[in-house]
Amino acid sequence: MECVSPIKEIDQINSIKEKLQKQSLRDYLLFVFGINTGIRVHDLLSLKVSDVWDGQSVREFLTISAENIEAPKVHYLNQQVKTALENYLAGAGGLLQDGDFLFKSKKNNLPITRQQAYRIINGVAKEVGITEKIGMHTLRKTFGYHAYRKGIAISILMDIYNHHTHAETLRYIGIEKDEEPYIKVDVNL
């Protein structure tokens, strides 16, 4: 597997979001969901409508259970994700049922494949001029990079990524040793 990079520039993230929003609400949601939660691509593509929608509104938290972990992982669905979800579900016009995959293929009732998700993200990244290697892992790394830069403790990110050392997590999210050490702690009450 090739090593991919996080998207560090906010203007590039916004350009991708803008293009995807015009292209497909599903693809836009895929990107927004990934960069705002940091969940694994397998878990992202396995989501069902009922995992994020309680029948009347978007859930505040997403709980992901896996056989290989003791406790389920809980992810906060921020306003960016909630808005993208609401727009996507409304745009689907009631075609998606609770048991349907959230990122449903247009060809069948299965989720889009990892390869299709990669083509979506990689293609739009190239369109906006990103030259670094981009893939589905980019979404997870982008989440971590920006969470760290906004003041989220490295220990929390280590837990999200199941890493064992600070150095491993910093390397994973693309923080270089010589990078500016300033962190934004923006409480914004």
Side-chain angles (χ1 to χ4, degrees):
M1 182 192 316
E2 285 188 64
C3 186
V4 296
S5 302
I7 303 169
K8 296 181 178 182
E9 301 299 324
I10 297 294
D11 62 327
Q12 290 178 326
I13 291 171
N14 289 334
S15 293
I16 289 173
K17 287 167 62 175
E18 191 175 303
K19 279 200 172 287
L20 286 174
Q21 204 164 23
K22 291 175 184 171
Q23 176 179 309
S24 160
L25 290 177
R26 182 199 65 193
D27 298 351
Y28 174 76
L29 176 62
L30 177 71
F31 182 73
V32 169
F33 211 116
I35 66 171
N36 282 282
T37 62
I39 68 173
R40 291 181 171 94
V41 64
H42 172 269
D43 294 329
L44 193 60
L45 297 178
S46 298
L47 290 176
K48 299 223 171 162
V49 172
S50 59
D51 294 327
V52 296
W53 184 258
D54 68 9
Q56 296 182 355
S57 63
V58 173
R59 297 180 191 279
E60 186 173 11
F61 292 95
L62 168 67
T63 304
I64 298 177
S65 299
E67 294 174 15
N68 61 342
I69 58 173
E70 292 177 24
K73 293 278 188 184
V74 179
H75 300 273
Y76 174 65
L77 301 181
N78 69 16
Q79 194 56 51
Q80 291 288 326
V81 174
K82 286 179 182 177
T83 300
L85 270 164
E86 289 166 352
N87 291 339
Y88 174 59
L89 294 172
L95 296 176
L96 288 175
Q97 305 300 314
D98 282 353
D100 287 340
F101 287 103
L102 190 60
F103 300 103
K104 188 174 164 183
S105 170
K106 293 174 183 164
K107 297 177 184 174
N108 54 41
N109 287 328
L110 298 173
I112 61 173
T113 63
R114 291 175 69 103
Q115 294 80 8
Q116 180 62 20
Y118 167 82
R119 282 192 293 269
I120 291 164
I121 300 304
N122 192 50
V124 75
K126 286 182 178 176
E127 284 181 40
V128 302
I130 295 176
T131 57
E132 293 88 2
K133 292 186 188 324
I134 300 294
M136 287 307 295
H137 238 61
T138 294
L139 305 183
R140 230 167 116 75
K141 290 182 175 194
T142 299
F143 162 79
Y145 176 84
H146 289 282
Y148 178 75
R149 298 297 288 163
K150 290 184 177 189
I152 300 299
I154 195 69
S155 59
I156 293 172
L157 294 173
M158 285 172 56
D159 183 54
I160 289 170
Y161 295 130
N162 293 322
H163 289 167
H164 300 290
T165 66
H166 291 185
E168 179 183 16
T169 302
L170 290 170
R171 188 172 44 256
Y172 180 79
I173 63 175
I175 301 291
E176 306 295 330
K177 288 180 183 176
D178 59 344
E179 202 165 326
E180 184 180 276
Y182 304 117
I183 303 294
K184 291 180 183 175
V185 179
D186 184 7
V187 178
N188 201 17
L189 296 173

